[in-house]
Every structure is written in structure tokens, then in C-alpha cells.
Amino acid sequence: MNLSQLLAHFKIELKDVYEEEEVKSIFSVSVEHLLMLKRSSLMMNWEKEVSKEEADQFFSIAAGLKTHQPIQYLLGEAYFYGATFKVNEAVLIPRPETEELVDWILAEDLANKTVIDFGTGSGCIAISLKKHGKASAVTAVDISEKALALAAENASRLEAEVDFIHADILNLDIVGQFDIIVSNPPYITGTEMAEMHQNVLAHEPHLALFVPDERPLLFYEAIADFAVGHLKENGRLFFEINEYLSEETIQMLKDKGFVNVSLRKDMQGKPRMILATKD
């Protein structure tokens, strides 16, 4: 079987799940992962034959995609800020808008600064800040032991020195003072679930996604309270936020005494990031 025939198989199997252009893109990602053949080379190699073992791997990916499993989980990796991170269903798949948050933080001079990341998941934020920002110390916190194990594996593989702590954001007893606190905590309400894609609802960890409708800022409030006592003078607090709750999040931070609260939109023009400074 050659690559052209495998693509035809993907198109047939996934016609009810993805648009044809999406199928082509996913197939290209699969080819690069399994055969180390980049998209530019794929265009000249449609007749390339694959072994039975390789073909079976492609068939398995197509079968998983047909049941709405995200391609990142099927391949076991996701690309974030210039690096490949291992992922599984214990962690959220890193998103492009989170890269924008990392960009914003890296605009700060992180040299000799201490950073703590709450709800680290795959470790993508903490590891990227350590590798690219040269922070003196980076700590990453998560309630999921499985997530922490994967994040630690990513840190080791990417040669980033990060301290990992198993803790509940809602019941923190972490000591120390920090220059930067960052978090992309759970923020999706039950009401918003109906708008979400099936591959997210069925496979990504609900622990990292959802909050009660009656307290949508639950985790933001807890982290802000921690920041009041643990941010150094003029320390920075960065959040990725629910686009529908930007005004409420800003007001909450002001009520807790933070100043110079700034809202930033993502590449799609949605209000998705906030920076606040400790007075």
C-alpha cells in the first residue's frame, strides 16, 4: 500500500467527522510522525510504499479519529512553542493561544526571577518559560499525579529544570515568594459545554476544564488570594481566561488590590489573557 492509497482510506473513513482539507492536514501530521516525512516531501512521495506494520499504524490512527479522539492523543505528542511535548488523556492538549500567553510573559526580563505555574498539565508553560526565559527557578503545580508524571517526563526530555509540586489550587500551603505567577486554570462553565467539540468533551480531562456555573471564577479567586501573600512587590500575575468573563475577572483582581490590570486579545480577537501587578 502506498501513501496515496492511505490518504484515500483516511478520506473515506473520516468523511463524516472532518472536512476534506482537515483530513489532508491530519494525514500529513501522521505521515511526519510515523515516517519522518515532512509535508513538503510528501507532495513528491505519494507513491511511496509502506510496510504492513506502518499501514496498520495509519489504520489505527484513522479508527481513533473516527471516534473523535484528538490526533495529539493518538500520536502521543503535541507541538508547543518550538518543542514537542508528550501528551495523554491526563493533560489538556496545549493550545496556540497559550503560546501567546507565554510570549507575553517572556516580554518580561525573567533572568534571576522566580516563577510558579498553577495547573501545569503537560508542563508546557513552565518548561517553555524555563527554556526561553532563563528564569532562576520555575515551580509547577497540579492536582493530578498523572499529569505531574508526564510534565516531569517532558521537563527531563527537554532539559528544563522545573520543580513539580502535587497540590490542590483550592487548598494551597506552598511557601515562598515569587516574581511571576501564571495559570491557565479550569474556566469552562457547564452552560458552555453544549458548544464544545466532541473530541474535547469525550477525551480531554474534565478536571482541567470545568467549573461550577455558580462560581466560574473559583480557581482565579484562589490563585489571586495566593498571589496577594506570595507575590513579591511589583510581582506579576498572568492568567489565561474565559473570553466571556473578562470584565468579571478584571473586577475581581482590582477588588483584591491588584493594579495595572491589563487585558489582551488572542490572535482571533478574543479577550483571553490578563496581567495584573501586585501593588
Side-chain angles (χ1 to χ4, degrees), residues 58-82:
F58 280 101
F59 293 150
S60 178
I61 289 170
L65 291 167
K66 194 172 182 178
T67 62
H68 300 281
Q69 294 180 55
I71 184 63
Q72 293 90 342
Y73 289 154
L74 292 167
L75 301 182
E77 63 183 34
Y79 193 72
F80 184 87
Y81 218 84

Short mmCIF file of all heavy atoms in Angstrom, two decimals, residues 58-82:
data_model
loop_
_atom_site.label_atom_id
_atom_site.label_comp_id
_atom_site.label_asym_id
_atom_site.label_seq_id
_atom_site.Cartn_x
_atom_site.Cartn_y
_atom_site.Cartn_z
N PHE A 58 -1.31 3.53 10.59
CA PHE A 58 -2.18 4.53 9.96
C PHE A 58 -3.65 4.14 10.12
O PHE A 58 -4.50 4.99 10.42
CB PHE A 58 -1.84 4.67 8.46
CG PHE A 58 -0.65 5.54 8.18
CD1 PHE A 58 0.58 4.98 7.90
CD2 PHE A 58 -0.76 6.92 8.20
CE1 PHE A 58 1.68 5.77 7.62
CE2 PHE A 58 0.33 7.74 7.92
CZ PHE A 58 1.56 7.15 7.64
N PHE A 59 -3.96 2.86 9.95
CA PHE A 59 -5.34 2.39 10.11
C PHE A 59 -5.82 2.64 11.55
O PHE A 59 -6.97 3.03 11.77
CB PHE A 59 -5.44 0.91 9.79
CG PHE A 59 -5.21 0.56 8.35
CD1 PHE A 59 -4.67 -0.68 8.01
CD2 PHE A 59 -5.50 1.46 7.34
CE1 PHE A 59 -4.45 -1.00 6.67
CE2 PHE A 59 -5.27 1.15 6.00
CZ PHE A 59 -4.74 -0.09 5.67
N SER A 60 -4.93 2.42 12.51
CA SER A 60 -5.28 2.62 13.92
C SER A 60 -5.57 4.10 14.20
O SER A 60 -6.52 4.43 14.92
CB SER A 60 -4.14 2.13 14.81
OG SER A 60 -4.42 2.36 16.17
N ILE A 61 -4.77 4.99 13.62
CA ILE A 61 -4.99 6.42 13.80
C ILE A 61 -6.34 6.83 13.19
O ILE A 61 -7.13 7.55 13.81
CB ILE A 61 -3.84 7.22 13.17
CG1 ILE A 61 -2.58 7.06 14.01
CG2 ILE A 61 -4.22 8.71 13.05
CD1 ILE A 61 -1.33 7.61 13.35
N ALA A 62 -6.62 6.35 11.99
CA ALA A 62 -7.89 6.68 11.33
C ALA A 62 -9.07 6.18 12.16
O ALA A 62 -10.08 6.89 12.31
CB ALA A 62 -7.93 6.09 9.93
N ALA A 63 -8.94 4.99 12.73
CA ALA A 63 -10.02 4.43 13.55
C ALA A 63 -10.24 5.28 14.80
O ALA A 63 -11.38 5.52 15.21
CB ALA A 63 -9.69 2.99 13.93
N GLY A 64 -9.15 5.75 15.41
CA GLY A 64 -9.27 6.61 16.58
C GLY A 64 -9.91 7.94 16.24
O GLY A 64 -10.77 8.44 16.97
N LEU A 65 -9.49 8.52 15.13
CA LEU A 65 -10.06 9.80 14.71
C LEU A 65 -11.55 9.68 14.42
O LEU A 65 -12.33 10.60 14.66
CB LEU A 65 -9.33 10.30 13.45
CG LEU A 65 -7.88 10.74 13.64
CD1 LEU A 65 -7.20 10.91 12.28
CD2 LEU A 65 -7.82 12.06 14.42
N LYS A 66 -11.96 8.53 13.93
CA LYS A 66 -13.38 8.31 13.61
C LYS A 66 -14.24 8.35 14.86
O LYS A 66 -15.44 8.67 14.80
CB LYS A 66 -13.52 6.97 12.88
CG LYS A 66 -14.86 6.78 12.19
CD LYS A 66 -14.85 5.52 11.33
CE LYS A 66 -16.17 5.34 10.61
NZ LYS A 66 -16.15 4.14 9.72
N THR A 67 -13.64 8.03 16.02
CA THR A 67 -14.37 8.08 17.29
C THR A 67 -14.09 9.38 18.04
O THR A 67 -14.25 9.45 19.25
CB THR A 67 -14.00 6.88 18.18
OG1 THR A 67 -12.60 6.93 18.50
CG2 THR A 67 -14.33 5.58 17.50
N HIS A 68 -13.60 10.39 17.31
CA HIS A 68 -13.39 11.75 17.82
C HIS A 68 -12.19 11.88 18.76
O HIS A 68 -12.09 12.87 19.50
CB HIS A 68 -14.65 12.28 18.52
CG HIS A 68 -15.85 12.36 17.64
ND1 HIS A 68 -16.05 13.39 16.74
CD2 HIS A 68 -16.90 11.51 17.49
CE1 HIS A 68 -17.19 13.19 16.10
NE2 HIS A 68 -17.73 12.05 16.53
N GLN A 69 -11.28 10.91 18.77
CA GLN A 69 -10.08 11.07 19.57
C GLN A 69 -9.18 12.12 18.91
O GLN A 69 -8.96 12.07 17.70
CB GLN A 69 -9.32 9.74 19.69
CG GLN A 69 -10.06 8.67 20.47
CD GLN A 69 -9.25 7.40 20.55
OE1 GLN A 69 -8.11 7.40 21.00
NE2 GLN A 69 -9.84 6.29 20.11
N PRO A 70 -8.64 13.07 19.68
CA PRO A 70 -7.75 14.08 19.10
C PRO A 70 -6.48 13.44 18.55
O PRO A 70 -5.93 12.50 19.13
CB PRO A 70 -7.43 14.99 20.29
CG PRO A 70 -8.54 14.76 21.26
CD PRO A 70 -8.91 13.32 21.10
N ILE A 71 -6.01 13.96 17.43
CA ILE A 71 -4.80 13.41 16.80
C ILE A 71 -3.61 13.48 17.75
O ILE A 71 -2.75 12.60 17.75
CB ILE A 71 -4.50 14.17 15.47
CG1 ILE A 71 -3.30 13.55 14.75
CG2 ILE A 71 -4.28 15.65 15.72
CD1 ILE A 71 -3.49 12.12 14.31
N GLN A 72 -3.56 14.50 18.61
CA GLN A 72 -2.42 14.64 19.53
C GLN A 72 -2.35 13.46 20.51
O GLN A 72 -1.26 12.98 20.82
CB GLN A 72 -2.50 15.96 20.30
CG GLN A 72 -2.32 17.21 19.45
CD GLN A 72 -3.64 17.72 18.89
OE1 GLN A 72 -4.66 17.01 18.85
NE2 GLN A 72 -3.64 18.98 18.47
N TYR A 73 -3.51 13.01 20.99
CA TYR A 73 -3.51 11.86 21.89
C TYR A 73 -3.15 10.58 21.14
O TYR A 73 -2.47 9.70 21.68
CB TYR A 73 -4.88 11.70 22.56
CG TYR A 73 -5.21 12.75 23.59
CD1 TYR A 73 -6.54 13.06 23.88
CD2 TYR A 73 -4.21 13.43 24.29
CE1 TYR A 73 -6.86 14.02 24.83
CE2 TYR A 73 -4.53 14.39 25.24
CZ TYR A 73 -5.85 14.68 25.50
OH TYR A 73 -6.17 15.63 26.44
N LEU A 74 -3.62 10.46 19.93
CA LEU A 74 -3.33 9.27 19.14
C LEU A 74 -1.84 9.16 18.83
O LEU A 74 -1.27 8.06 18.81
CB LEU A 74 -4.14 9.27 17.85
CG LEU A 74 -5.65 9.09 18.04
CD1 LEU A 74 -6.39 9.42 16.75
CD2 LEU A 74 -5.96 7.67 18.47
N LEU A 75 -1.20 10.31 18.59
CA LEU A 75 0.24 10.32 18.31
C LEU A 75 1.06 10.39 19.59
O LEU A 75 2.26 10.11 19.58
CB LEU A 75 0.60 11.49 17.40
CG LEU A 75 -0.09 11.53 16.04
CD1 LEU A 75 0.40 12.73 15.23
CD2 LEU A 75 0.14 10.24 15.26
N GLY A 76 0.41 10.82 20.69
CA GLY A 76 1.11 10.91 21.97
C GLY A 76 1.98 12.14 22.10
O GLY A 76 2.83 12.20 23.00
N GLU A 77 1.76 13.14 21.26
CA GLU A 77 2.58 14.35 21.35
C GLU A 77 1.86 15.54 20.74
O GLU A 77 0.94 15.41 19.94
CB GLU A 77 3.93 14.14 20.66
CG GLU A 77 3.84 13.87 19.17
CD GLU A 77 5.19 13.60 18.54
OE1 GLU A 77 6.06 13.00 19.21
OE2 GLU A 77 5.37 13.99 17.36
N ALA A 78 2.30 16.72 21.18
CA ALA A 78 1.76 17.98 20.65
C ALA A 78 2.90 18.99 20.57
O ALA A 78 3.84 18.96 21.38
CB ALA A 78 0.65 18.52 21.55
N TYR A 79 2.79 19.88 19.61
CA TYR A 79 3.84 20.89 19.38
C TYR A 79 3.47 22.16 20.12
O TYR A 79 2.34 22.64 20.02
CB TYR A 79 3.95 21.15 17.88
CG TYR A 79 5.18 21.92 17.46
CD1 TYR A 79 6.45 21.33 17.50
CD2 TYR A 79 5.07 23.23 17.01
CE1 TYR A 79 7.56 22.04 17.09
CE2 TYR A 79 6.18 23.95 16.61
CZ TYR A 79 7.42 23.35 16.65
OH TYR A 79 8.53 24.06 16.27
N PHE A 80 4.41 22.71 20.87
CA PHE A 80 4.15 23.94 21.63
C PHE A 80 5.43 24.75 21.78
O PHE A 80 6.44 24.24 22.27
CB PHE A 80 3.59 23.61 23.02
CG PHE A 80 3.20 24.82 23.83
CD1 PHE A 80 1.93 25.38 23.71
CD2 PHE A 80 4.10 25.41 24.71
CE1 PHE A 80 1.58 26.50 24.45
CE2 PHE A 80 3.75 26.52 25.46
CZ PHE A 80 2.48 27.06 25.33
N TYR A 81 5.38 25.97 21.34
CA TYR A 81 6.47 26.94 21.50
C TYR A 81 7.83 26.36 21.07
O TYR A 81 8.82 26.45 21.79
CB TYR A 81 6.53 27.46 22.93
CG TYR A 81 6.88 28.94 22.98
CD1 TYR A 81 5.88 29.89 22.83
CD2 TYR A 81 8.19 29.37 23.12
CE1 TYR A 81 6.18 31.24 22.83
CE2 TYR A 81 8.50 30.71 23.12
CZ TYR A 81 7.49 31.65 22.97
OH TYR A 81 7.80 33.01 22.96
N GLY A 82 7.83 25.74 19.90
CA GLY A 82 9.08 25.27 19.33
C GLY A 82 9.56 23.93 19.83
O GLY A 82 10.67 23.50 19.50
#
